[in-house]
Amino acid sequence: MTTHTAHQSSRTPTALARIPHPHISTTLPREPTPLAPALPPAFEAFCALNRASYLDYARAHLPPKKAHQLVCCVLGELAVSWCDIVSNSNPPARAWTLLRTRVQAAAPAPGGALDTCSAQQYDALVLHCRLGYSSTAAASVTGLDPSKIRYLVLSATAARRQAVRHLHPQPAVARAA
């Protein structure tokens, strides 16, 4: 038995010596390439079409830096739930509702004549009267029909139209050091 064990251990180093060693390829990059998630082309197109309008709306309520951060977060949320958004019967309206909700949570309430304004009328007034969007452009970003935007703007009281024209974001509060 001792001879058999001695015979096996003498073969083991020879067997290991015959295993080929992997060669390192010099054609591969030395540092790993950063991985970037591939976003659906439809989402990228949606962002290209709506990012500026989302920023305009957010800047009407928030300081520029906070507005930019908020829109980035909203677009991130939309990217994560993109399949649900596009399966909706009106994706632009669903996305706009998310933006409006986030802006309302981050900005102080406008108050005054705008307190009792419906969300759709408020958005139509901000986009049309405050930001100068045409009814077609406002409809495109909100997912509403252009005739609905015109109706919402024309049916608003003069006090509401005037109040939304004077809407300004609250200045950023300086932190005490």
Side-chain angles (χ1 to χ4, degrees), residues 40-44 46-47 77-87 91 95:
F43 177 74
E44 289 182 1
F46 179 85
C47 288
E77 286 183 63
L78 292 173
V80 169
S81 60
W82 186 244
C83 289
D84 292 335
I85 298 290
V86 294
S87 66

Side-chain angles (χ1 to χ4, degrees), residues 59-157:
R59 284 184 190 134
H61 299 88
L62 301 165
K65 185 176 180 179
K66 191 169 182 181
H68 184 266
Q69 290 170 340
L70 183 135
V71 170
C72 286
C73 288
V74 167
L75 293 176
E77 286 183 63
L78 292 173
V80 169
S81 60
W82 186 244
C83 289
D84 292 335
I85 298 290
V86 294
S87 66
N88 189 281
S89 62
N90 190 343
R94 179 116 182 249
W96 182 261
T97 299
L98 177 64
L99 173 73
R100 178 193 325 117
T101 303
R102 297 298 181 262
V103 168
Q104 285 175 342
L114 299 170
D115 271 347
T116 58
C117 197
S118 74
Q120 285 185 344
Q121 187 172 52
Y122 178 80
D123 292 346
L125 289 170
V126 169
L127 290 168
H128 185 74
C129 298
R130 172 75 173 87
L131 298 173
Y133 280 54
S134 69
S135 55
T136 304
S140 174
V141 74
T142 60
L144 297 174
D145 191 82
S147 63
K148 176 83 172 188
I149 296 290
R150 286 190 294 276
Y151 169 77
L152 291 167
V153 170
L154 293 174
S155 66
T157 63

Side-chain angles (χ1 to χ4, degrees), residues 5-24:
T5 308
H7 183 66
Q8 275 186 336
S9 29
S10 66
R11 273 196 239 171
T12 306
T14 311
L16 288 176
R18 284 187 250 164
I19 296 175
H21 294 285
H23 295 288
I24 298 174

